Amino acid sequence: MTSILMVITFCYSCSLQNKFLPIHVEKKECLYGCQAYSVRISNDKKLEFEGKKNTVLIGKFSVVLSKSEHMSLLAQYEKIDYSKKNTSEERYIYDLQVTEIRDNRNFYSFQKKDIDNMEVAKFIVLLEEILKNKKVIN
């Protein structure tokens, strides 16, 4: 009986994670030396990193996340309310960096100057802390 409950719990947690994975984050180039990279987070605790400009590593690399790092990212990502997204792209200043976040159902694009969704900001800060700890960005 205990093993059946463990399997059900495991399957339920997997279904929660799979509802939006993989998660893609891309920080695009800007005119002022921004770090440009893309990241793909999958449910197997892999983080695929592609450094494009001004990052410690340039090129494609795979980083293994600890269970706590992976769960922290997923937990923070689940808090994002995509109904709060800013859809007025014409407000962009084209020499500032644009960050895009997407999963299999949602898309969010913003510039740091006008981010209006604090859960997205917290997710990006957490992701960047992990990337710094993994020594792929400064």
Side-chain angles (χ1 to χ4, degrees), residues 13-128:
S13 68
C14 288
S15 68
L16 284 177
Q17 292 175 9
N18 288 330
K19 71 182 178 182
F20 51 72
L21 287 173
I23 301 166
H24 299 268
V25 177
E26 183 169 4
K27 291 196 122 192
K28 299 192 176 248
E29 291 185 32
C30 72
L31 296 179
Y32 303 106
C34 300
Q35 294 187 39
Y37 60 85
S38 64
V39 170
R40 181 180 181 273
I41 303 164
S42 61
N43 62 352
D44 62 356
K45 293 190 271 183
K46 267 192 182 172
L47 184 143
E48 294 171 18
F49 175 84
E50 182 179 359
K52 297 176 182 179
K53 190 173 185 182
N54 300 321
T55 57
V56 174
L57 299 176
I58 302 293
K60 294 182 179 183
F61 300 90
S62 201
V63 177
V64 178
L65 299 171
S66 70
K67 185 174 182 173
S68 64
E69 289 170 332
H70 192 249
M71 294 309 291
S72 296
L73 281 170
L74 296 181
Q76 186 58 49
Y77 189 80
E78 279 191 305
K79 294 177 186 177
I80 295 173
D81 180 0
Y82 277 95
S83 68
K84 294 181 180 178
K85 71 180 178 180
N86 177 5
T87 57
S88 58
E89 290 187 30
E90 65 274 0
R91 290 183 12 189
Y92 284 168
I93 299 173
Y94 290 101
D95 58 345
L96 295 180
Q97 188 173 40
V98 173
T99 301
E100 296 178 351
I101 302 174
R102 67 184 182 282
D103 61 31
N104 59 8
R105 292 189 295 191
N106 301 294
F107 176 81
Y108 192 89
S109 180
F110 65 92
Q111 287 180 307
K112 191 173 186 175
K113 68 171 184 59
D114 65 358
I115 186 166
D116 53 356
N117 189 325
M118 288 310 299
E119 299 308 325
V120 171
K122 290 176 184 177
F123 174 76
I124 294 296
V125 167
L126 177 60
L127 176 63
E128 288 181 344

